[in-house]
Amino acid sequence: MEFHKEVQFIDPVEELVQKLVVCRKMQGLTQKELAVKCGLQQTAIARIETGSTVPRLDTFMKIANALELKPFLQPNTVSEI
């Protein structure tokens, strides 16, 4: 009998948001402090972090810049299981 592991794919937007949250917390910033740094409302940061809204690219870039992150694209890699 052959068993296959079920592969879980994370939504790319969800993955980006998770990374932003981790970076915010690593820098010791509250949602309010981050919002001030990037010119947004704290409620906007909260909605993005909880997944209730998907940030537009310009909003994502404001947050990334405020966290001093440089976004980049990389190819998908798929390995056989």
Side-chain angles (χ1 to χ4, degrees):
M1 233 186 265
E2 189 176 332
F3 294 94
H4 296 280
K5 288 184 180 179
E6 190 172 314
V7 179
Q8 290 184 325
F9 292 99
I10 298 175
D11 174 51
V13 173
E14 183 180 328
E15 184 178 8
L16 285 172
V17 169
Q18 288 175 0
K19 288 179 180 182
L20 291 176
V21 173
V22 168
C23 290
R24 175 181 65 77
K25 290 181 178 181
M26 287 179 65
Q27 292 182 28
L29 296 171
T30 65
Q31 289 180 347
K32 177 70 174 173
E33 291 167 331
L34 176 58
V36 169
K37 283 184 79 166
C38 59
L40 299 171
Q41 297 292 318
Q42 181 273 329
T43 54
I45 299 295
R47 287 192 306 269
I48 291 167
E49 288 189 2
T50 61
S52 62
T53 189
V54 175
R56 296 184 337 203
L57 182 57
D58 62 327
T59 302
F60 171 76
M61 292 304 296
K62 286 179 185 179
I63 296 169
N65 288 332
L67 293 171
E68 299 178 6
L69 301 172
K70 182 178 180 181
F72 68 95
L73 299 174
Q74 68 183 38
N76 290 330
T77 57
V78 179
S79 60
E80 291 185 23
I81 298 177

